[in-house]
Amino acid sequence: MYNTIKSYIPLAIFCLLIGCKEEKKNKVEATVPTETVEAPKAVEVDTTVVKEMPEDVSSPEGMVWIPGAVFSQGAVPQDKAAMDHEKPAHKVAVDGFFMDITEVTNDEFQKFVDETGYKTVAEREIDWEEMKKQLPEGTPKPHDSIMQPGSLTFKQAKSSVPNLYDFSQWWSWTIGANWKHPNGPGSSIKGKGNYPVVHIAYEDALAYCEWANRRLPTEAEWERAARGNHLNTIYFWGDEDAKLSDKANTWEGEFPVTNVETDGFGLRAPVKSYPANDFGLYDMAGNVWEWTNDWYNTNYYKELSATYPVAKNPLGADQAYNERDPYAREKVMKGGSFLCNASYCASYRVSSRMATSLDSSLEHLGFRTVATPDMIRNSKK
């Protein structure tokens, strides 16, 4: 949440933190010394992976087994929309695991809250002393009228937007917006229990995982699951963008002015509204972004590919680093959302990845969980 408040601190910082960060945009000069990014810690070069589900475990309810594989993570050669931070493609070997068939829904998150009394980041009072630790020294405190619990919500523009780099034109800090009120005060999730829960910060996702005996996927696991049997295509169904309306919930028309809704939805859609991929996973493209457990590091793909012929079960960068915002501590999110449009953010592509600060909560950001066979075994002891 703290980083969402930055939309008032100034606008320039806001533009670096939200949604689709186009790599082709001019870089912002760092105002603090940048640290040398160490190469990822060594992992054994081993292409042997667990493919078949072990006989002594079975798929938990609502999850499916993802067979292990060796594949190229990152942008495929024919993807003309690929950004620099999706390159170069690099070989990874990922063991099999279980993954949620859908994003965590409002009903599932409600059960967690009912049993634990958990309060999300977007619902909590804002601590300025904590917040300013993440900002440049001397940043003035925002007015008290702004320093109230809330989150970022989408606002549709009334006319064409010439500068699609200015994200403030379609995002609004909304006091009272949270997972129970996804569009702000007056909105509700009543009757929407099968919609993906949103306005979830990283801390919120971890709390749910601990309660459910699950964890967040690594970026490599997420991409393995999304690709299914299409290991070298742009989308989880192949390379045909003409099939997008049938396969995913995205923005169709002039963004952010007119959504013609050929795919059936203007904003979020219920889970399972579109066909599943090869493994039976829904919404691996569009609808809402999904947290992963990996630190976002601008240099990670380049360093990983230069260091290892094959990375075995990579856990992501050792530390966060964004060359355009050196103050940020961000995680990778995957999958795109209902706001993704080819004019600025074709992030329904499998290799697409974006950076989001730990405390960000957004109208188009949720999560799904994974589990290893050992996690399932230990839960039965």
Side-chain angles (χ1 to χ4, degrees), residues 346-372:
S347 291
Y348 33 77
R349 298 170 298 103
V350 179
S351 65
S352 181
R353 59 201 300 262
M354 291 297 165
T356 299
S357 58
L358 302 180
D359 45 17
S360 289
S361 58
L362 301 153
E363 185 183 337
H364 67 345
L365 175 57
F367 70 110
R368 76 177 73 209
T369 73
V370 300
T372 64

Side-chain angles (χ1 to χ4, degrees), residues 38-65:
E38 299 177 357
K41 293 181 179 178
V43 292
E44 60 178 305
V45 178
D46 180 6
T47 59
T48 303
V49 296
V50 177
K51 294 183 179 180
E52 303 298 326
M53 183 173 67
E55 294 182 356
D56 64 332
V57 296
S58 56
S59 294
E61 183 179 359
M63 304 188 89
V64 67
W65 175 254

Side-chain angles (χ1 to χ4, degrees), residues 143-335:
H143 193 274
D144 288 343
S145 62
I146 296 172
M147 295 285 288
Q148 298 183 48
S151 190
L152 281 165
T153 59
F154 171 71
K155 59 177 182 178
Q156 193 164 342
K158 296 181 180 179
S159 58
S160 296
V161 176
N163 179 14
L164 288 177
Y165 296 128
D166 182 2
F167 307 119
S168 67
Q169 295 172 99
W170 59 87
W171 284 107
S172 175
W173 173 254
T174 304
I175 294 171
N178 53 55
W179 74 276
K180 292 182 291 188
H181 307 288
N183 302 106
S187 65
S188 171
I189 59 172
K190 185 176 181 180
K192 296 184 177 180
N194 63 337
Y195 280 61
V197 66
V198 291
H199 294 294
I200 299 298
Y202 180 73
E203 178 182 334
D204 305 329
L206 291 186
Y208 178 93
C209 286
E210 183 177 2
W211 169 79
N213 188 36
R214 302 286 186 263
R215 64 170 172 80
L216 291 175
T218 65
E219 184 181 8
E221 287 174 335
W222 195 101
E223 187 163 327
R224 163 60 186 141
R227 288 196 176 280
N229 298 323
H230 291 77
L231 298 182
N232 298 294
T233 60
I234 299 173
Y235 313 109
F236 75 74
W237 60 87
D239 289 330
E240 306 89 354
D241 55 10
K243 295 183 178 181
L244 182 61
S245 295
D246 297 326
K247 300 290 188 179
N249 179 17
T250 64
W251 188 278
E252 300 166 294
E254 183 186 356
F255 184 85
V257 182
T258 304
N259 189 344
V260 297
E261 301 180 25
T262 306
D263 56 29
F265 294 90
L267 299 176
R268 294 173 303 281
V271 299
K272 298 186 179 181
S273 293
Y274 301 87
N277 76 349
D278 295 329
F279 296 150
L281 300 171
Y282 294 87
D283 290 329
M284 298 302 281
N287 212 18
V288 301
W289 285 98
E290 300 178 15
W291 285 106
T292 74
N293 200 49
D294 289 22
W295 288 114
Y296 176 80
N297 189 306
T298 305
N299 305 316
Y300 175 61
Y301 276 21
K302 295 180 177 65
E303 294 186 349
L304 189 67
S305 63
T307 305
Y308 306 111
V310 180
K312 181 70 177 290
N313 294 320
L315 301 178
D318 289 340
Q319 57 186 314
Y321 174 67
N322 188 331
E323 63 187 6
R324 294 184 293 111
D325 187 3
Y327 289 98
R329 297 181 69 245
E330 300 167 310
K331 292 284 184 173
V332 175
M333 60 179 185
K334 296 284 288 184

Side-chain angles (χ1 to χ4, degrees), residues 10 14 20 25 72 74 90 122 219 255 259 265 308 336 345 375 379:
F14 172 89
C20 300
K25 186 178 179 183
S72 291
H90 48 282
E219 184 181 8
F255 184 85
N259 189 344
F265 294 90
Y308 306 111
C345 174
M375 292 172 69
S379 69

